[in-house]
Amino acid sequence: MAAALISGKPQMIIPFAADQPFWAKLLYQKGYGVKPLKEKDINVEALGQRFLEMETDKYINNAIKIKDIISKENGVGNAVSYIENIVENN
């Protein structure tokens, strides 16, 4: 999920198991990816439709926006600082 969002590209997820359906649905609801496609529903028409949707300004702009937000987070540095703070104060 993180790699998909950091890519800055619209996503099409075909979830198979575990938490994949949850994340695929969330990505779609947030506008970072097209509607998830179930494995049993894969066909030329469905794939073609999703690919065309991925080329729309809505998905392209949303993907760029989330990439920019994540890129500014310094997630690893913040996590290390948080853990160091806990260790130092206990």
Side-chain angles (χ1 to χ4, degrees):
M1 176 68 143
L5 294 173
I6 289 171
S7 76
K9 305 294 182 196
Q11 300 295 310
M12 177 182 58
I13 299 177
I14 302 171
F16 290 95
D19 62 343
Q20 293 175 352
F22 169 80
W23 290 112
K25 183 178 177 182
L26 184 62
L27 207 69
Y28 172 63
Q29 289 173 336
K30 298 284 186 180
Y32 304 128
V34 296
K35 186 174 182 179
L37 188 59
K38 294 179 182 177
E39 183 180 11
K40 67 178 181 145
D41 297 330
I42 296 173
N43 59 47
V44 172
E45 183 180 332
L47 286 172
Q49 177 187 359
R50 298 303 195 286
F51 287 138
L52 289 174
E53 288 176 35
M54 289 170 62
E55 293 180 347
T56 63
D57 289 342
K58 170 189 171 182
Y59 290 110
I60 292 169
N61 293 335
N62 285 345
I64 291 168
K65 286 179 189 175
I66 194 64
K67 176 188 176 184
D68 291 344
I69 290 169
I70 293 171
S71 297
K72 294 175 185 173
E73 282 185 342
N74 188 23
V76 173
N78 290 337
V80 169
S81 295
Y82 179 77
I83 293 168
E84 287 175 342
N85 187 36
I86 290 173
V87 170
E88 290 172 3
N89 294 316
N90 285 325

PDB file of all heavy atoms in Angstrom, residues 21-22 25 29 40 47 53 59 68 71 75 84 90:
ATOM      1  N   PRO A  21      -8.538  -6.733   0.371  1.00  0.00           N
ATOM      2  CA  PRO A  21      -9.828  -6.114   0.023  1.00  0.00           C
ATOM      3  C   PRO A  21     -10.084  -4.820   0.798  1.00  0.00           C
ATOM      4  O   PRO A  21     -10.590  -3.847   0.238  1.00  0.00           O
ATOM      5  CB  PRO A  21     -10.857  -7.179   0.384  1.00  0.00           C
ATOM      6  CG  PRO A  21     -10.109  -8.466   0.274  1.00  0.00           C
ATOM      7  CD  PRO A  21      -8.716  -8.142   0.758  1.00  0.00           C
ATOM      8  N   PHE A  22      -9.703  -4.798   2.070  1.00  0.00           N
ATOM      9  CA  PHE A  22      -9.881  -3.588   2.877  1.00  0.00           C
ATOM     10  C   PHE A  22      -9.106  -2.422   2.291  1.00  0.00           C
ATOM     11  O   PHE A  22      -9.644  -1.333   2.097  1.00  0.00           O
ATOM     12  CB  PHE A  22      -9.427  -3.847   4.327  1.00  0.00           C
ATOM     13  CG  PHE A  22      -9.332  -2.589   5.144  1.00  0.00           C
ATOM     14  CD1 PHE A  22     -10.468  -2.022   5.693  1.00  0.00           C
ATOM     15  CD2 PHE A  22      -8.116  -1.959   5.349  1.00  0.00           C
ATOM     16  CE1 PHE A  22     -10.394  -0.845   6.433  1.00  0.00           C
ATOM     17  CE2 PHE A  22      -8.018  -0.790   6.080  1.00  0.00           C
ATOM     18  CZ  PHE A  22      -9.170  -0.240   6.634  1.00  0.00           C
ATOM     19  N   LYS A  25     -10.397  -1.204  -1.141  1.00  0.00           N
ATOM     20  CA  LYS A  25     -11.615  -0.400  -1.006  1.00  0.00           C
ATOM     21  C   LYS A  25     -11.290   0.990  -0.469  1.00  0.00           C
ATOM     22  O   LYS A  25     -11.813   1.997  -0.961  1.00  0.00           O
ATOM     23  CB  LYS A  25     -12.596  -1.108  -0.076  1.00  0.00           C
ATOM     24  CG  LYS A  25     -13.910  -0.389   0.077  1.00  0.00           C
ATOM     25  CD  LYS A  25     -14.853  -1.171   0.983  1.00  0.00           C
ATOM     26  CE  LYS A  25     -16.145  -0.410   1.205  1.00  0.00           C
ATOM     27  NZ  LYS A  25     -17.045  -1.128   2.116  1.00  0.00           N
ATOM     28  N   GLN A  29     -12.034   4.550  -2.169  1.00  0.00           N
ATOM     29  CA  GLN A  29     -12.868   5.554  -1.504  1.00  0.00           C
ATOM     30  C   GLN A  29     -12.157   6.897  -1.375  1.00  0.00           C
ATOM     31  O   GLN A  29     -12.786   7.951  -1.460  1.00  0.00           O
ATOM     32  CB  GLN A  29     -13.287   5.071  -0.113  1.00  0.00           C
ATOM     33  CG  GLN A  29     -14.298   3.954  -0.150  1.00  0.00           C
ATOM     34  CD  GLN A  29     -14.588   3.374   1.226  1.00  0.00           C
ATOM     35  OE1 GLN A  29     -13.788   3.465   2.146  1.00  0.00           O
ATOM     36  NE2 GLN A  29     -15.759   2.766   1.350  1.00  0.00           N
ATOM     37  N   LYS A  40     -12.330 -12.929 -10.132  1.00  0.00           N
ATOM     38  CA  LYS A  40     -13.335 -13.607 -10.959  1.00  0.00           C
ATOM     39  C   LYS A  40     -13.957 -12.673 -12.003  1.00  0.00           C
ATOM     40  O   LYS A  40     -14.557 -13.134 -12.965  1.00  0.00           O
ATOM     41  CB  LYS A  40     -14.423 -14.221 -10.085  1.00  0.00           C
ATOM     42  CG  LYS A  40     -15.279 -13.202  -9.369  1.00  0.00           C
ATOM     43  CD  LYS A  40     -16.371 -13.851  -8.548  1.00  0.00           C
ATOM     44  CE  LYS A  40     -17.185 -12.744  -7.904  1.00  0.00           C
ATOM     45  NZ  LYS A  40     -18.548 -13.019  -7.775  1.00  0.00           N
ATOM     46  N   LEU A  47     -10.767  -4.592 -17.461  1.00  0.00           N
ATOM     47  CA  LEU A  47      -9.409  -4.048 -17.377  1.00  0.00           C
ATOM     48  C   LEU A  47      -9.275  -2.771 -18.198  1.00  0.00           C
ATOM     49  O   LEU A  47      -8.703  -1.780 -17.737  1.00  0.00           O
ATOM     50  CB  LEU A  47      -8.381  -5.083 -17.854  1.00  0.00           C
ATOM     51  CG  LEU A  47      -8.095  -6.229 -16.905  1.00  0.00           C
ATOM     52  CD1 LEU A  47      -7.220  -7.279 -17.590  1.00  0.00           C
ATOM     53  CD2 LEU A  47      -7.442  -5.731 -15.635  1.00  0.00           C
ATOM     54  N   GLU A  53      -9.941   4.834 -16.729  1.00  0.00           N
ATOM     55  CA  GLU A  53     -10.233   5.642 -15.544  1.00  0.00           C
ATOM     56  C   GLU A  53      -8.949   6.143 -14.887  1.00  0.00           C
ATOM     57  O   GLU A  53      -8.894   7.272 -14.397  1.00  0.00           O
ATOM     58  CB  GLU A  53     -11.033   4.829 -14.525  1.00  0.00           C
ATOM     59  CG  GLU A  53     -12.460   4.580 -14.927  1.00  0.00           C
ATOM     60  CD  GLU A  53     -13.187   3.691 -13.931  1.00  0.00           C
ATOM     61  OE1 GLU A  53     -12.923   3.796 -12.723  1.00  0.00           O
ATOM     62  OE2 GLU A  53     -14.021   2.879 -14.374  1.00  0.00           O
ATOM     63  N   TYR A  59      -7.805  10.903 -10.839  1.00  0.00           N
ATOM     64  CA  TYR A  59      -6.913   9.906 -10.251  1.00  0.00           C
ATOM     65  C   TYR A  59      -5.448  10.326 -10.340  1.00  0.00           C
ATOM     66  O   TYR A  59      -4.682  10.103  -9.404  1.00  0.00           O
ATOM     67  CB  TYR A  59      -7.136   8.537 -10.882  1.00  0.00           C
ATOM     68  CG  TYR A  59      -8.462   7.941 -10.486  1.00  0.00           C
ATOM     69  CD1 TYR A  59      -9.492   7.808 -11.394  1.00  0.00           C
ATOM     70  CD2 TYR A  59      -8.699   7.540  -9.178  1.00  0.00           C
ATOM     71  CE1 TYR A  59     -10.725   7.282 -11.014  1.00  0.00           C
ATOM     72  CE2 TYR A  59      -9.921   7.009  -8.785  1.00  0.00           C
ATOM     73  CZ  TYR A  59     -10.931   6.887  -9.716  1.00  0.00           C
ATOM     74  OH  TYR A  59     -12.141   6.374  -9.341  1.00  0.00           O
ATOM     75  N   ASP A  68       3.024  13.618  -2.555  1.00  0.00           N
ATOM     76  CA  ASP A  68       3.643  14.808  -1.975  1.00  0.00           C
ATOM     77  C   ASP A  68       3.470  14.845  -0.456  1.00  0.00           C
ATOM     78  O   ASP A  68       4.399  15.187   0.274  1.00  0.00           O
ATOM     79  CB  ASP A  68       3.064  16.075  -2.600  1.00  0.00           C
ATOM     80  CG  ASP A  68       3.469  16.261  -4.051  1.00  0.00           C
ATOM     81  OD1 ASP A  68       4.436  15.592  -4.489  1.00  0.00           O
ATOM     82  OD2 ASP A  68       2.817  17.061  -4.746  1.00  0.00           O
ATOM     83  N   SER A  71       5.721  12.141   1.084  1.00  0.00           N
ATOM     84  CA  SER A  71       7.131  12.496   0.921  1.00  0.00           C
ATOM     85  C   SER A  71       7.597  13.505   1.963  1.00  0.00           C
ATOM     86  O   SER A  71       8.775  13.537   2.320  1.00  0.00           O
ATOM     87  CB  SER A  71       7.379  13.068  -0.478  1.00  0.00           C
ATOM     88  OG  SER A  71       7.111  12.103  -1.455  1.00  0.00           O
ATOM     89  N   GLY A  75       8.561   9.790   7.788  1.00  0.00           N
ATOM     90  CA  GLY A  75       8.004   8.736   8.624  1.00  0.00           C
ATOM     91  C   GLY A  75       9.031   7.944   9.396  1.00  0.00           C
ATOM     92  O   GLY A  75       8.872   7.717  10.598  1.00  0.00           O
ATOM     93  N   GLU A  84      13.015   6.459  20.417  1.00  0.00           N
ATOM     94  CA  GLU A  84      14.098   6.937  21.277  1.00  0.00           C
ATOM     95  C   GLU A  84      13.549   7.685  22.477  1.00  0.00           C
ATOM     96  O   GLU A  84      14.054   7.541  23.591  1.00  0.00           O
ATOM     97  CB  GLU A  84      15.052   7.836  20.479  1.00  0.00           C
ATOM     98  CG  GLU A  84      15.918   7.079  19.502  1.00  0.00           C
ATOM     99  CD  GLU A  84      16.760   7.994  18.641  1.00  0.00           C
ATOM    100  OE1 GLU A  84      16.448   9.214  18.532  1.00  0.00           O
ATOM    101  OE2 GLU A  84      17.725   7.488  18.028  1.00  0.00           O
ATOM    102  N   ASN A  90      11.886   5.928  29.998  1.00  0.00           N
ATOM    103  CA  ASN A  90      11.444   4.758  30.780  1.00  0.00           C
ATOM    104  C   ASN A  90      12.582   4.115  31.506  1.00  0.00           C
ATOM    105  O   ASN A  90      13.660   4.187  31.394  1.00  0.00           O
ATOM    106  CB  ASN A  90      10.749   3.727  29.898  1.00  0.00           C
ATOM    107  CG  ASN A  90       9.352   4.174  29.523  1.00  0.00           C
ATOM    108  OD1 ASN A  90       8.685   4.805  30.321  1.00  0.00           O
ATOM    109  ND2 ASN A  90       8.941   3.842  28.327  1.00  0.00           N
TER     110      ASN A  90
END
